[in-house]
Amino acid sequence: MSGAVDLSALKARATAPPVAAGQPTPAVTPNATTVTEETFQAEVVDRSLQTLVVVDLASTRSAASTELTATLEGLAAAGAGTWVLATVDVDTNPRIAELFGVQSLPTTIAVAGGQPVQAFPGGDVREWLHGLLSALGDQLPGTAAAMADLPEPEPEPEDPRFVAAELALDGGDYAGATAAYELVLASEPSNAEALAALAQVRFLQRLDAVTPDAVALADAAPDDVDAQLLAADAELAQQQVEEAFARLVATVRRAGAADTAGRDAARARLLSLFELFDPAEPHVVSARRKLASALY
């Protein structure tokens, strides 16, 4: 959004006469403020030169808007000055809503350095704020100073189930480590940490069967599927990732319909090796495409 909205459009309103006697005045706290067209320049544009400002374009007519405003107010209070909440009632300040091109409520937009930088896309607002502070915190003096004053977060307590698994692995007890991680997955099938750790344990356990001449033996017997599986593990252990993947894809293709058991074994081994990497890793993406081609 940077540069797409000219926030100076409301600057003239900042010099308008003060609120008449008897009229409600904007509510202000150290980390949150209610902004009007008259205070927009000072409370949003100017303030954003020092500290991240989150503009909450809200209306009491919208239940979702009211709920998000309450959440943001709580987060601003807990933010200890790392960012400031600027709430705008769009019903009484239509020019600000028009300025930001508001089409639905709630609309929330972060402003830094005098310009809009990102709109809240929905989802977890805490994660959105964390991402903004991580990306912009060191560029805004006020935000950087407030972040530097934050206490160090308390370390999360260790999960005793993972502690037991790691102790077993450290002692070379692969079966014990496998059982410990499988216990986690029995109750949490999608636990990413346990899935990744279990894939690593199984790989380490298989390496016990790999001999120094595993690759040479496999090269001499291309139709021996078991030899190809061992060789792929050996190559991966030597950081030869592309070679290991290519070997297993070739084994799948070579086995074909004539040896469905061998084909399935090679495919399963390749999929298990994929689990050791980020799914977006280029080697994995390329090998998956080649595997699909070999199978179909």
Side-chain angles (χ1 to χ4, degrees), residues 115-177:
Q115 289 294 328
V117 292
Q118 192 177 100
F120 174 48
D124 191 334
V125 69
R126 293 169 181 80
E127 290 186 5
W128 179 66
L129 288 167
H130 178 74
L132 286 169
L133 291 172
S134 297
L136 302 171
D138 59 351
Q139 301 175 34
L140 301 167
T143 293
M147 291 177 68
D149 289 339
L150 291 175
E152 289 294 326
E154 291 289 332
E156 293 186 9
E158 292 187 278
D159 187 325
R161 302 172 301 173
F162 284 91
V163 172
E166 290 162 7
L167 287 174
L169 184 58
D170 289 343
D173 181 5
Y174 296 128

Side-chain angles (χ1 to χ4, degrees), residues 86-242:
T87 300
V88 177
D89 182 343
V90 298
D91 296 325
T92 56
N93 298 276
R95 289 192 64 197
I96 298 180
E98 181 182 351
L99 179 72
F100 283 108
V102 174
Q103 296 181 348
S104 62
L105 295 175
T107 293
T108 304
I109 297 172
V111 178
Q115 289 294 328
V117 292
Q118 192 177 100
F120 174 48
D124 191 334
V125 69
R126 293 169 181 80
E127 290 186 5
W128 179 66
L129 288 167
H130 178 74
L132 286 169
L133 291 172
S134 297
L136 302 171
D138 59 351
Q139 301 175 34
L140 301 167
T143 293
M147 291 177 68
D149 289 339
L150 291 175
E152 289 294 326
E154 291 289 332
E156 293 186 9
E158 292 187 278
D159 187 325
R161 302 172 301 173
F162 284 91
V163 172
E166 290 162 7
L167 287 174
L169 184 58
D170 289 343
D173 181 5
Y174 296 128
T178 297
Y181 287 126
E182 287 178 340
L183 183 62
V184 175
L185 293 170
S187 58
E188 302 174 36
S190 300
N191 189 301
E193 185 179 355
L195 287 169
L198 184 58
Q200 293 171 7
V201 170
R202 287 172 173 166
F203 175 70
L204 292 172
Q205 189 171 20
R206 290 200 308 268
L207 287 183
D208 284 348
V210 173
T211 59
D213 58 352
V215 173
L217 290 173
D219 290 344
D223 293 327
D224 186 335
V225 174
D226 289 338
Q228 302 308 316
L229 302 186
L230 287 173
D233 283 345
E235 288 172 327
L236 194 65
Q238 296 297 320
Q239 304 299 313
Q240 297 174 331
V241 180
E242 288 186 85

Side-chain angles (χ1 to χ4, degrees), residues 14 33 41 46 73 76 83 103 112 119 135 195 228 232 244 295:
T33 180
Q41 176 70 27
D46 295 345
E73 287 174 346
W83 61 280
Q103 296 181 348
L195 287 169
Q228 302 308 316
L295 285 170

